[in-house]
């Protein structure tokens, strides 16, 4: 079990995300003296009585001026139980792309809801993004509980509302904790102000969430990033003939002697050696970066995928995917883009837009285009076949980017064969 | 001899369990290989400081047994510790690298830059750096920056786009999804790449310990003539002299960061070995920059302002 948990936060503007993160860092004693001094000094300069903990994360000038979070801030803290990487994501609708960014690598999403306001459109949007990106755990922090007189009824009702949406979206594991980021209720320590709540504090919960999301038990796949062939440049004479394929295991494990297949050529070979720098390994596991040597002189180049021969990947020239559109101009059918999957980039064409997610009903509605921040279903045809897997079985093998071929912008995050949050696995996602 | 670099513990199915350092190293290797493969002319910023030393160590591992396939660039303020320069040159020699130097002193000497009233040269590094990037047409610049260092750095993507003027626009950063990195850019633009983004100061030191990496001696406790200014211990040297009233004394000190001698402070320390330093960093109640960098105290947003202009 990993001791590192990757978190992302989400919530609407003014729900107190930055304050909560600041409180989490402060009360877990992860803020160092000089950082706190700086926050106290600035808070005093602004005429505040107490330190504004949001200043710990809102580090940009514009953020401080406007009192909002503009971009993802990454924070690192550790308790005796585990280490955390926390992506503090902005809540404003125009920055949904950053919530997508933060969620794509998260093991858990902490979603703030203002106890006074209840479920907002942004709450649904963020839950939909979490469901879509398959964030394994969702924790609802019902914030500002002190401003509703620590009401048990408000908490229960709100927690039930959010859980209902989570269930509808297919999120299996949603927890709720009543907190006050400003005062510190139930953030790190359990609060005497909520005697009716007998669950863990937010931090206690985060310390115990299972993080066994590493794809070690999936099938072996490794996109080849670089072919290492030093020849005359070898750092020692014995390596002049060296030929290895360097990459990071996207999933599974590989052992010396394993039979593998190289996609797209379909050539088969056997693992002769696994190198990590000067060190030789018998076995490598995801997400290790290694260099693999094969017994045969097969033609392998960057962009190829080395996979388990016992469980090869199906190559596909056309996939249906759910996409979060992040471009300023809308996506329309016929668009010519680049697709980056693993270490491979190919030309692609958007054949059709098959629906746009309506955030009220959480159903796909017919649509002719996708605008900024829309989530929709698209059918994409690749210029060359790619070993794209289903996102539901492989978060790595099923994810790809859509890129603007002219200026290189990342235009969409796409998940192959993914279901829209309101859809149920019984309906066939591949049927026309 | 490298120490054991993967964990010996195994799961119930007999597979090795990766440690946090294994995962961080693997991520850094992924980033370095990906950017090197996708760009034409990457370069690695190397100052002889611990973060750039670790980054270079990971890069050497990523391409072993082939040489590191890009040059290194040092932005030399002219106020460096002599032993750090010696270390830099020895490392470049050992790994067979090509070293480019962008010299702040040259820019001052020929009048393109003017010395600041406060004497610090850190903000003066931006122009020579951008000039070197343009002159060599570098399209990807690896830096050892970590997100835990500073609040503006905490906002930084692993792969960060810079415009024709080298500027960072924190309000309009490219989304970074899963671990699929996209360094594409228009001609004239370049990307800054931070493979150690997710490392903390303690991770860096634990890695130095695990991999048995040699560092310049000033990272370890030694006796040095220092004087106190703004709560920092500054070394007495050609670029930093005590003002009237500042008392010089010999103290047992070490450095947590090494940069421009005139604004990098030492900390009182008896930590003489890597293990001592790991223990000291784990127990410290001050951040690395808060303890030792005068230039970040210029304003609340000093780092952000410099980064927007093109600083690393």
């Amino acid at each position: 079990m990993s001791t590192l948990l990757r978190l992302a936060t989400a919530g609407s503007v003014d729900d107190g995300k930055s304050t909560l993160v600041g409180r989490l860092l402060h009360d877990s004693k992860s803020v160092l003296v000089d950082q706190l001094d700086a926050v106290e000094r600035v808070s005093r300069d602004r005429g505040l009585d107490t330190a504004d903990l949001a200043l710990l994360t809102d580090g940009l000038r514009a953020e401080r001026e406007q009192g909002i979070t503009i971009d993802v801030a990454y924070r690192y803290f550790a308790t005796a139980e585990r280490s955390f990487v926390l992506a503090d994501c902005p809540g404003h609708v125009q920055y949904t792309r950053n919530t997508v960014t933060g969620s794509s690598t998260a093991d858990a999403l902490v979603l703030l809801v203002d106890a006074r306001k209840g479920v907002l459109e942004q709450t649904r949007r963020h839950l939909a993004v979490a469901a879509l990106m398959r964030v394994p755990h969702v924790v609802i922090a019902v914030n500002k509980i002190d401003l509703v007189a620590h009401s048990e009824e408000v908490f229960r009702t709100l927690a039930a509302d959010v859980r209902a949406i989570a269930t509808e979206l297919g999120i299996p594991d949603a927890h709720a904790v009543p907190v006050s980021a400003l005062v510190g209720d139930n953030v790190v320590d359990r609060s005497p102000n909520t005697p009716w709540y007998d669950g863990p504090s937010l931090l206690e919960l985060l310390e115990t969430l299972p993080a066994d999301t590493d794809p070690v038990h999936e099938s072996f796949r490794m996109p080849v990033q670089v072919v290492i062939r030093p020849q005359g440049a070898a750092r020692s004479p014995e390596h002049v003939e060296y030929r290895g394929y360097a990459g990071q295991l996207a999933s599974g494990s590989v052992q010396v002697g394993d039979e593998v297949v190289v996609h797209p050529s379909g050539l088969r070979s056997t693992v002769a050696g696994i190198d990590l720098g000067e060190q030789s390994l018998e076995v490598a596991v995801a997400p290790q970066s290694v260099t693999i040597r094969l017994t045969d002189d097969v033609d392998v180049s960057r962009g190829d995928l080395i996979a388990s021969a016992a469980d090869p990947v199906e190559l596909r020239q056309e996939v249906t995917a759910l996409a979060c559109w992040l471009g300023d101009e809308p996506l329309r059918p016929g668009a010519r883009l680049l697709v980056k999957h693993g270490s491979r980039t190919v030309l692609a064409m958007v054949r059709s837009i098959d629906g746009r997610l309506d955030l009220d009903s959480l159903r796909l509605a017919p649509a002719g285009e996708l605008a900024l921040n829309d989530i929709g279903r698209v059918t994409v045809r690749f210029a060359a076949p790619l070993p794209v897997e289903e996102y539901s079985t492989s978060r790595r093998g099923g994810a790809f980017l859509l890129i603007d071929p002219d200026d290189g912008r990342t235009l969409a995050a796409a998940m192959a064969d993914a279901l829209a949050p309101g859809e149920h696995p019984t309906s066939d996602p591949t049927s026309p | 001899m490298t120490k054991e670099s993967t964990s010996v513990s195994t799961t119930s199915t007999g597979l090795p369990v990766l440690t946090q350092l294994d995962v961080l190293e693997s991520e850094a290797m992924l980033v370095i290989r990906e950017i090197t493969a996708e760009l034409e002319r990457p370069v690695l910023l190397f100052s002889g400081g611990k973060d750039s030393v670790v980054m270079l160590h990971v890069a050497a591992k990523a391409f072993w047994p082939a040489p590191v396939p890009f040059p290194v660039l040092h932005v030399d303020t002219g106020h460096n510790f002599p032993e750090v320069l010696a270390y830099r040159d020895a490392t470049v020699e050992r790994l067979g690298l090509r070293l480019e130097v962008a010299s702040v002193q040259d820019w001052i000497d020929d009048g393109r830059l003017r010395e600041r009233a406060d004497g610090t040269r850190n903000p003066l590094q931006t122009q020579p750096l951008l000039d070197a990037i343009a002159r060599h047409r570098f399209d990807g610049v690896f830096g050892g920056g970590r997100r835990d260092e500073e609040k503006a750095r905490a906002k930084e993507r692993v792969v960060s786009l810079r415009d024709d003027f080298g500027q960072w626009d924190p309000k309009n950063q490219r989304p970074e999804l899963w671990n699929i990195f996209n360094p594409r850019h228009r001609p004239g633009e370049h990307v800054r790449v931070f493979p150690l983004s997710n490392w903390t100061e303690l991770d860096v030191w634990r890695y130095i310990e695990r991999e048995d990496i040699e560092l310049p001696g000033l990272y370890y406790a030694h006796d040095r003539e220092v004087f106190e200014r703004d709560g920092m211990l500054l070394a007495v040297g050609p670029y930093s002299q005590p003002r009237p009233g500042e008392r010089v004394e010999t103290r047992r000190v070490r450095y947590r960061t090494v940069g421009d001698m005139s604004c990098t402070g030492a900390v009182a320390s008896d930590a003489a070995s890597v293990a001592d330093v790991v223990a000291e960093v784990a127990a410290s109640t001050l951040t690395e920059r808060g303890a030792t960098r005068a230039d970040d105290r210029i304003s609340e947003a000093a780092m952000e302002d410099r980064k927007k202009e093109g600083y690393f």
Side-chain angles (χ1 to χ4, degrees):
Chain A
M1 172 145 158
S2 165
T3 59
L4 185 74
L5 192 79
R6 291 179 193 252
L7 300 173
T9 63
S12 300
V13 177
D14 291 334
D15 278 352
K17 279 185 308 298
S18 298
T19 309
L20 181 75
V21 172
R23 174 62 66 187
L24 201 54
L25 297 172
H26 177 266
D27 288 9
S28 65
K29 309 207 167 36
S30 307
V31 180
L32 300 181
V33 174
D34 55 311
Q35 292 173 315
L36 197 60
D37 282 351
V39 165
E40 283 172 348
R41 195 176 59 240
V42 175
S43 301
R44 250 196 329 272
D45 290 351
R46 294 181 176 189
L48 303 173
D49 296 335
T50 54
D52 178 0
L53 296 177
L55 294 173
L56 283 171
T57 58
D58 288 344
L60 301 176
R61 276 190 190 280
E63 292 177 325
R64 290 171 171 237
E65 283 158 16
Q66 299 171 40
I68 60 164
T69 307
I70 286 170
D71 206 339
V72 185
Y74 294 86
R75 298 287 151 187
Y76 304 82
F77 66 104
T79 67
E81 305 300 318
R82 70 163 33 136
S83 303
F84 298 91
V85 177
L86 187 152
D88 183 22
C89 303
H92 199 280
V93 62
Q94 75 189 89
Y95 301 121
T96 296
R97 68 172 81 184
N98 298 330
T99 304
V100 174
T101 292
S103 303
S104 70
T105 50
D107 301 310
L109 182 78
V110 177
L111 176 59
L112 269 86
V113 181
D114 186 328
R116 299 167 306 173
K117 294 184 188 158
V119 173
L120 301 174
E121 193 203 335
Q122 275 296 75
T123 315
R124 297 173 73 87
R125 184 184 289 268
H126 287 145
L127 279 169
V129 170
L132 196 67
M133 308 297 285
R134 297 185 73 84
V135 179
H137 308 282
V138 173
V139 179
I140 316 296
V142 178
N143 193 25
K144 308 194 184 181
I145 197 77
D146 55 319
L147 298 184
V148 294
H150 297 99
S151 161
E152 176 175 8
E153 198 197 335
V154 168
F155 172 71
R156 299 266 174 238
T157 309
L158 225 162
D161 288 352
V162 179
R163 279 213 190 87
I165 302 169
T167 307
E168 197 186 341
L169 292 170
I171 296 170
D173 191 32
H175 307 261
V177 184
V179 304
S180 165
L182 196 65
V183 183
D185 291 330
N186 299 318
V187 176
V188 168
D189 301 309
R190 295 188 203 188
S191 172
N193 297 325
T194 53
W196 41 265
Y197 173 73
D198 59 2
S201 73
L202 178 62
L203 184 64
E204 287 171 338
L205 183 62
L206 296 176
E207 284 178 331
T208 51
L209 285 178
D212 48 0
T213 48
D214 289 341
V216 173
H217 300 292
E218 298 172 15
S219 299
F220 163 64
R221 274 98 178 85
M222 189 189 89
V224 175
Q225 292 186 272
V226 178
V227 177
I228 302 208
R229 242 195 124 186
Q231 298 175 296
R235 282 161 65 189
S236 66
E238 82 227 56
H239 294 124
V240 170
E241 299 296 319
Y242 189 95
R243 182 205 274 258
Y245 309 104
Q248 184 188 47
L249 273 73
S251 58
S253 62
V254 66
Q255 219 162 334
V256 174
D258 280 359
E259 213 197 320
V260 294
V261 57
V262 180
H263 296 297
S265 68
L267 292 169
R268 287 174 177 244
S269 187
T270 303
V271 175
I274 305 168
D275 299 320
L276 175 50
E278 292 174 50
Q279 189 187 16
S280 294
L281 306 181
E282 260 312 298
V283 53
V285 299
Q288 255 179 327
S289 285
V290 294
T291 302
I292 289 178
R293 286 175 281 120
L294 299 178
T295 49
D296 306 277
D297 249 355
V298 289
D299 176 18
V300 182
S301 41
R302 170 172 164 81
D304 289 354
L305 182 81
I306 302 180
S308 157
D311 186 17
V313 191
E314 194 193 328
L315 293 176
R316 302 158 72 184
Q317 191 124 22
E318 188 167 300
V319 299
T320 301
L322 281 182
C324 299
W325 186 249
L326 307 166
D328 294 323
E329 304 89 35
L331 173 69
R332 300 198 175 92
R336 286 173 184 277
L337 302 164
L338 293 172
V339 158
K340 183 163 185 186
H341 173 259
S343 55
R344 188 104 199 262
T345 306
V346 301
L347 273 167
M349 192 184 69
V350 174
R351 287 180 58 95
S352 58
I353 290 170
D354 310 319
R356 192 184 69 84
L357 190 67
D358 177 75
L359 285 162
D360 291 321
S361 68
L362 297 170
R363 295 280 186 275
L364 284 173
E369 60 180 43
L370 294 182
L372 176 65
N373 291 318
D374 277 350
I375 295 165
R377 176 171 288 155
V378 296
T379 301
V380 183
R381 184 165 179 81
F382 308 135
L386 292 179
V388 177
E389 304 190 69
E390 280 181 35
Y391 190 74
S392 62
T393 55
S394 171
R395 222 172 154 188
R396 289 285 306 276
F400 59 90
L401 305 182
L402 296 178
I403 295 171
D404 189 317
D406 295 327
D407 60 17
R409 279 178 306 154
T410 298
L411 294 175
M415 290 142 281
D417 306 323
L419 292 172
E423 289 176 304
H424 292 285
T426 44
S427 63
D428 180 7
T430 56
S431 68
Chain B
M1 180 70 200
T2 342
K3 292 186 180 175
E4 183 77 27
S5 86
T6 44
S7 167
V8 285
S9 63
T10 54
T11 63
S12 52
T13 47
L15 293 174
V17 175
L18 303 181
T19 64
Q20 189 174 324
L21 288 181
D22 293 329
V23 173
L24 291 172
E25 179 194 63
S26 172
E27 180 181 69
M29 285 169 73
L30 170 83
V31 171
I32 292 170
R33 285 169 172 170
E34 199 61 17
I35 301 313
T36 306
E38 292 224 338
L39 295 183
E40 295 289 324
R41 298 170 70 85
V43 68
L44 182 144
L45 291 176
F46 184 68
S47 62
K50 66 181 185 314
D51 301 307
S52 63
V53 169
V54 164
M55 181 170 60
L56 184 57
H57 179 89
V58 173
K61 227 170 165 172
F63 298 101
W64 182 92
V68 174
F70 39 76
V72 296
L73 171 65
H74 183 211
V75 184
D76 184 346
T77 63
H79 285 179
N80 281 292
F81 293 90
E83 60 194 291
V84 175
L85 293 181
Y87 174 91
R88 175 197 77 184
D89 294 341
T91 305
V92 163
E93 172 80 29
R94 177 171 60 82
L95 293 174
L97 302 173
R98 179 161 66 86
L99 170 70
E100 301 289 350
V101 177
S103 162
V104 172
Q105 191 62 56
D106 286 354
W107 281 59
I108 292 173
D109 290 348
D110 65 18
R112 283 179 290 170
L113 275 177
R114 201 180 310 163
E115 198 89 72
R116 292 163 54 100
D118 62 8
T120 178
R121 287 187 170 181
N122 260 9
L124 301 184
Q125 294 178 87
T126 302
Q127 281 313 314
L129 168 67
L130 293 176
D131 172 70
I133 291 170
R135 204 155 26 86
H136 294 284
R137 289 180 289 117
F138 292 132
D139 53 0
V141 182
F142 292 109
R146 310 185 320 263
R147 288 169 175 158
D148 80 322
E149 278 181 85
E150 210 279 337
K151 53 192 180 295
R153 289 220 199 270
K155 296 278 174 182
E156 186 65 271
R157 298 281 197 258
V158 175
V159 178
S160 177
L161 189 68
R162 300 299 159 105
D163 71 10
D164 304 19
F165 296 92
Q167 298 179 108
W168 178 55
D169 180 3
K171 279 188 167 180
N172 190 26
Q173 299 196 74
R174 185 175 278 176
E176 199 154 83
L177 299 146
W178 299 287
N179 53 2
I180 314 176
F181 295 101
N182 171 18
R184 282 171 183 268
H185 57 272
R186 281 186 287 223
E189 297 174 337
H190 71 276
V191 292
R192 300 286 173 88
V193 184
F194 304 98
L196 308 186
S197 284
N198 289 320
W199 300 46
T200 63
E201 183 187 11
L202 191 55
D203 293 324
V204 166
W205 276 106
R206 285 182 172 146
Y207 189 75
I208 287 165
E209 184 178 36
R210 186 184 89 171
E211 301 283 308
D212 205 6
I213 299 171
E214 195 195 328
L215 289 183
L218 74 181
Y219 278 109
Y220 305 105
H222 57 284
D223 293 325
R224 187 180 284 265
E225 278 203 316
V226 293
F227 58 93
E228 195 170 329
R229 181 179 297 164
D230 300 334
M232 286 191 311
L233 299 176
L234 295 181
V236 179
Y239 320 114
S240 51
Q241 288 294 324
R243 295 172 189 154
E246 291 173 335
R247 195 162 55 88
V248 173
E249 54 185 337
T250 301
R251 298 272 298 268
R252 195 145 183 80
V253 297
R254 71 172 199 88
Y255 285 85
R256 282 174 78 174
T257 65
V258 302
D260 194 296
M261 264 186 103
S262 60
C263 67
T264 306
V267 292
S269 171
D270 287 318
S273 69
V274 186
D276 293 346
V277 173
V278 168
E280 185 183 278
V281 170
S284 175
T285 59
L286 287 179
T287 63
E288 185 179 329
R289 290 200 160 254
T292 63
R293 285 296 180 92
D295 49 317
D296 290 338
R297 300 180 181 189
I298 292 168
S299 85
E300 264 304 298
M303 175 68 88
E304 177 187 354
D305 293 345
R306 269 185 286 151
K307 280 172 66 67
K308 280 182 182 164
E309 291 166 7
Y311 189 76
F312 38 89

